[in-house]
Amino acid sequence: MKTKLVLTTALFGLSSLIFSCEKDQTITESPKAVSESETEISTSNALRSLKITATCGAQGWASQNGGTTGGGTSAETVVSTYAALKSAVQNSAVKVIRVTGTITIPAAGRILFQDQSGKTIYGAAGARLVSTDQTKDGSGILSIKRVNNLLIRNLIFEGPGAYDVDGWDLAVIDACKNVWVDHCEFRDGVDGNLDIKNTSDFVTVSWTKFNYLKAPRPGGPGGADDHRFSNLIGSSDSATADRGTLRVTFASCWWGPGCVERMPRVRFGRVHVINSLFNSSNASKCIMAGKEANILAENDVFENAKDAIYLVGGQTALQVKNCTFTNVSGNRTGVGTAFTPPYTVAPRSAASVKSSVTASTGAGATISGNVCTFSPI
């Protein structure tokens, strides 16, 4: 009986480590750690050779519905050109793509990525995807549609700057399930930086930075001369099919220089914004709640913004919980009681949020390659 109990306990302990291991990491137990009997030592020695290939999943909403692991430990395809990137993205047999260097998207070269599952796209240190097209139809970098179990990590998405021509965002997540965007940076999108729409569900965006470093181009036919509007969740008030979906977590994210609005702007979704930093001096509307939005803003830090909390109208709830406001004018008060997340994220203090987010957010900040290193959000 004691042998069975020791083995069960040891295996349970090892299973709890899977979520925090790098891939192909060997887990060992020291014989000195279990010295009560020869039986315990024998069990420990047997476990010393156990090799665990970790497939770490996302936290937040992307941990639900079976979890999100992308392509896991599948063989990598390395790309350094636009043609190679497009080919790998559109080939469903390729499960892990490693992007190296700077890849420029040609005019009207936005990549359509659709109808796949179980895929990872990640960048080597400094990897960038760059678009210079400011036209309505040709802008944007990735259009992701009906893709499930997708992981995007360690990439910089760079656009030509905001221009209100009703163009494309740097990346659009459209009708997708279980998507994890981690340690990325999105900057200077034409229409926006990263949008999530059309019944997309179980999405986590973690340790990711959004900013605008280029001056906006005025005079677009869309009507806004300063369209630095970062993130839209739900495409319109009439998209009622979104009801019951658009469950999204933004955790340890940073809306930095240049962001003006939509950090994010939400319709219909149940969106959790936690442990995140808002410190754009241009900000006029940060978290925005629109039609049937249900938002929990928790332990977030707002600095130098106007209307950190903006109620567009018709929302279910926008609950502000333990947030910190410094030099913020306008509204900072929410309405109603938001949903209770079915997962656990440890809230952090305001001082810890700012220091950790500014040190660890964005592409290349704390990860190296397609390794599975657990970073609490």
Side-chain angles (χ1 to χ4, degrees):
M1 179 64 69
K2 187 173 183 180
T3 302
K4 181 177 181 180
L5 176 62
V6 171
L7 180 58
T8 301
T9 302
L11 289 173
F12 177 80
L14 280 169
S15 67
S16 69
L17 289 173
I18 292 177
F19 196 68
S20 61
C21 298
E22 296 188 2
K23 67 176 184 177
D24 294 332
Q25 180 174 345
T26 301
I27 305 299
T28 61
E29 289 279 346
S30 169
K32 295 180 181 179
V34 282
S35 57
E36 292 184 13
S37 69
E38 290 182 2
T39 301
E40 291 172 335
I41 294 173
S42 176
T43 301
S44 177
N45 286 337
L47 292 173
R48 289 177 66 186
S49 61
L50 180 62
K51 191 173 185 180
I52 296 177
T53 300
T55 306
C56 292
Q59 301 161 78
W61 272 119
S63 69
Q64 305 299 293
N65 192 42
T68 306
T69 55
T73 57
S74 299
E76 298 181 354
T77 295
V78 180
V79 300
S80 59
T81 66
Y82 170 76
L85 172 65
K86 182 177 181 180
S87 176
V89 166
Q90 295 181 343
N91 184 349
S92 61
V94 175
K95 295 301 183 182
V96 178
I97 301 171
R98 181 184 185 217
V99 180
T100 64
T102 296
I103 296 178
T104 299
I105 310 301
R110 183 180 62 256
I111 297 174
L112 181 61
F113 175 22
Q114 63 181 20
D115 299 314
Q116 295 187 40
S117 63
K119 197 154 188 165
T120 295
I121 304 173
Y122 82 96
R128 293 193 304 159
L129 304 179
V130 179
S131 170
T132 59
D133 194 324
Q134 281 191 316
T135 65
K136 176 180 179 179
D137 296 326
S139 51
I141 293 174
L142 276 181
S143 176
I144 307 165
K145 192 169 186 177
R146 296 185 302 271
V147 175
N148 300 327
N149 190 18
L150 171 66
L151 172 55
I152 301 175
R153 303 188 84 186
N154 214 45
L155 273 171
I156 297 171
F157 291 78
E158 180 180 330
Y163 183 40
D164 194 6
V165 290
D166 294 324
W168 286 76
D169 306 278
L170 294 174
V172 178
I173 297 172
D174 184 347
C176 299
K177 299 289 186 291
N178 290 92
V179 179
W180 182 17
V181 179
D182 179 59
H183 282 93
C184 287
E185 181 176 349
F186 294 83
R187 59 197 192 206
D188 296 306
V190 171
D191 188 65
N193 283 323
L194 172 67
D195 282 5
I196 302 167
K197 64 179 187 177
N198 292 341
T199 71
S200 288
D201 212 359
F202 305 110
V203 179
T204 294
V205 183
S206 58
W207 297 107
T208 290
K209 185 176 183 180
F210 303 97
N211 52 28
Y212 291 86
L213 305 179
K214 300 171 184 176
R217 181 180 172 188
D225 284 343
D226 192 353
H227 198 268
R228 292 178 289 179
F229 301 165
S230 190
N231 307 98
L232 192 64
I233 312 300
S235 57
S236 74
D237 288 358
S238 62
T240 55
D242 286 340
R243 287 180 177 135
T245 66
L246 296 178
R247 284 168 280 198
V248 181
T249 303
F250 287 93
S252 300
C253 289
W254 181 7
W255 284 268
C259 292
V260 173
E261 295 185 17
R262 300 181 187 174
M263 306 174 223
R265 186 203 197 281
V266 180
R267 297 178 176 94
F268 298 108
R270 279 166 280 178
V271 176
H272 190 192
V273 185
I274 183 169
N275 295 339
S276 293
L277 173 65
F278 303 76
N279 69 349
S280 168
S281 60
N282 302 96
S284 62
K285 301 179 182 73
C286 295
I287 299 178
M288 305 171 65
K291 185 177 178 65
E292 298 180 33
N294 190 333
I295 304 172
L296 175 59
E298 184 176 8
N299 288 72
D300 299 311
V301 174
F302 298 85
E303 297 178 341
N304 307 315
K306 179 182 178 182
D307 288 322
I309 304 298
Y310 194 82
L311 305 174
V312 180
Q315 62 282 325
T316 302
L318 198 173
Q319 182 179 357
V320 180
K321 183 178 180 181
N322 299 324
C323 293
T324 301
F325 302 89
T326 302
N327 193 30
V328 172
S329 61
N331 185 55
R332 62 184 74 177
T333 304
V335 60
T337 301
F339 69 98
T340 299
Y343 53 82
T344 300
V345 175
R348 297 198 298 271
S349 67
S352 174
V353 165
K354 185 170 184 177
S355 61
S356 60
V357 165
T358 54
S360 304
T361 300
T366 60
I367 66 173
S368 176
N370 187 33
V371 295
C372 182
T373 302
F374 177 73
S375 298
I377 59 176

